[in-house]
Amino acid sequence: MEIDIGISESNRKDIAHGLSRLLADSYTLYLKTHNFHWNVTGPMFQTLHIMFEEHYQELAEAVDVIAERIRALGFPAPGTYSQFVELSSIKEEQDIPDAKGMIRRAVEGHESVVRTARSLFPAAEEVSDEATADLLTQRIQLHEKTAWMLRSLLE
């Protein structure tokens, strides 16, 4: 059945592609954060172990919301590691950093998600896609706050 939500197929496709990049960044950050949760050591172990768990649980919920928005726009959501690697601006971890290194890399990941989300606003705003704009605003707010809180641990 044809989709008639007031946004052309071409514009929906552009927005869905941008959201696919956001999904890939979010999923890659989820994996990174889960890795840090499992492998953190040192004097801040308990604090970071619990915090990373909270972060990856939030990201697990977020990827579902993002994927469902892509589907609502009429396009398939990427769902394989190879697709995520191709689409994500966040690189996989090749080593296990110390606790402060994990915090720094987590900050970088959250800021990458913010940049990706922010880059999608023009396409959403151009066609009055308030649903996508609202999703982007929520993601930006959460990731900016998380990055700030993580940076505070390094001071």
Side-chain angles (χ1 to χ4, degrees):
M1 188 171 171
E2 202 169 308
I3 296 174
D4 184 14
I5 59 172
I7 303 171
S8 73
E9 181 176 3
S10 172
N11 287 328
R12 286 186 289 109
K13 184 177 183 178
D14 289 344
I15 293 167
H17 177 70
L19 287 170
S20 293
R21 291 186 300 110
L22 181 63
L23 177 61
D25 278 359
S26 299
Y27 197 85
T28 304
L29 183 57
Y30 163 84
L31 288 173
K32 181 185 299 263
T33 305
H34 214 148
N35 175 14
F36 293 167
H37 166 76
W38 289 328
N39 291 299
V40 68
T41 60
M44 294 192 306
F45 169 80
Q46 187 67 20
T47 299
L48 293 176
H49 184 73
I50 292 168
M51 184 190 64
F52 288 142
E53 182 175 17
E54 291 170 357
H55 291 179
Y56 78 69
Q57 287 176 342
E58 193 286 326
L59 284 159
E61 292 177 22
V63 296
D64 197 51
V65 171
I66 298 165
E68 288 175 354
R69 182 64 193 147
I70 294 167
R71 294 298 299 138
L73 291 169
F75 295 91
T80 66
Y81 291 123
S82 61
Q83 288 173 309
F84 291 150
V85 167
E86 182 180 319
L87 291 165
S88 183
S89 66
I90 300 171
K91 301 301 173 212
E92 290 181 302
E93 292 299 322
Q94 299 301 317
D95 61 350
I96 299 174
D98 65 11
K100 285 188 176 185
M102 289 178 178
I103 295 167
R104 283 185 187 90
R105 291 182 191 184
V107 168
E108 292 167 359
H110 284 281
E111 290 177 344
S112 291
V113 173
V114 169
R115 289 190 302 274
T116 298
R118 187 166 274 120
S119 75
L120 305 179
F121 263 105
E125 290 177 336
E126 181 181 331
V127 296
S128 300
D129 182 357
E130 287 85 1
T132 297
D134 182 55
L135 184 154
L136 296 173
T137 299
Q138 290 177 40
R139 299 313 310 154
I140 289 169
Q141 287 175 335
L142 183 129
H143 290 285
E144 285 181 345
K145 182 177 181 179
T146 302
W148 156 60
M149 290 184 166
L150 286 164
R151 277 191 305 273
S152 296
L153 292 171
L154 297 173
E155 294 177 3

